[in-house]
Amino acid sequence: MYKKSSNKSFGLLFFIVFLGLGLWPITNNNNPNIYLIVISIIFLILGLLDSKLLSPLNSFWIKLGEFLGKIIAPIVMAIIYFIILTPISLIVRLFGKDLLGLKFTNQTKTYWIKRKKDLNSMNKQF
């Protein structure tokens, strides 16, 4: 279903993440976290060597991402639907607009829309 992530890119990603977390205390004038920096160096070495030791962690990381995607995507779509689209549709209905022209009226003879712009010949389309 998804392209399998390589151990090299996985190791380099976690090197950057742990290095960032290890150096984060410097922003508050504290000492860096040596343990996280050591872990980041281990991930760097294993990533550059494309080690098979990262395979179980890599597969777990991919499965965690797929699991979170199955949970988060419907929640985000529901938020977009109920917070953005529903109020817009209620406002449009409140003002009585028929944006798609779906209302049926007995006075209308045809529902065809006259084209304002004349089309060219359909010969030699390409």
Side-chain angles (χ1 to χ4, degrees), residues 12-123:
L12 295 178
L13 171 72
F14 273 85
F15 161 70
I16 293 170
V17 168
F18 280 113
L19 184 65
L21 291 174
L23 296 177
W24 183 260
I26 293 175
T27 61
N28 297 330
N29 295 326
N30 294 331
N31 294 331
N33 191 335
I34 301 299
Y35 298 114
L36 292 177
I37 293 175
V38 169
I39 291 172
S40 72
I41 292 171
I42 291 171
F43 271 107
L44 175 65
I45 293 168
L46 292 175
L48 291 176
L49 296 177
D50 201 17
S51 175
K52 298 295 180 195
L53 293 174
L54 294 177
S55 292
L57 294 173
N58 191 1
S59 65
F60 172 74
W61 183 251
I62 296 294
K63 288 178 184 176
L64 178 67
E66 290 173 355
F67 175 72
L68 289 176
K70 288 180 182 178
I71 293 173
I72 299 297
I75 292 172
V76 170
M77 294 306 291
I79 289 171
I80 289 172
Y81 182 80
F82 288 114
I83 293 179
I84 296 173
L85 295 177
T86 302
I88 290 173
S89 71
L90 292 175
I91 291 170
V92 167
R93 282 188 183 192
L94 183 67
F95 287 114
K97 298 286 183 182
D98 185 22
L99 299 177
L100 296 177
L102 297 177
K103 287 184 181 175
F104 177 76
T105 60
N106 289 333
Q107 293 84 13
T108 306
K109 293 181 182 179
T110 180
Y111 286 97
W112 284 95
I113 299 171
K114 294 286 184 184
R115 188 178 296 270
K116 295 176 185 175
K117 191 164 86 172
D118 187 30
L119 293 179
N120 295 334
S121 171
M122 295 303 281
N123 299 334

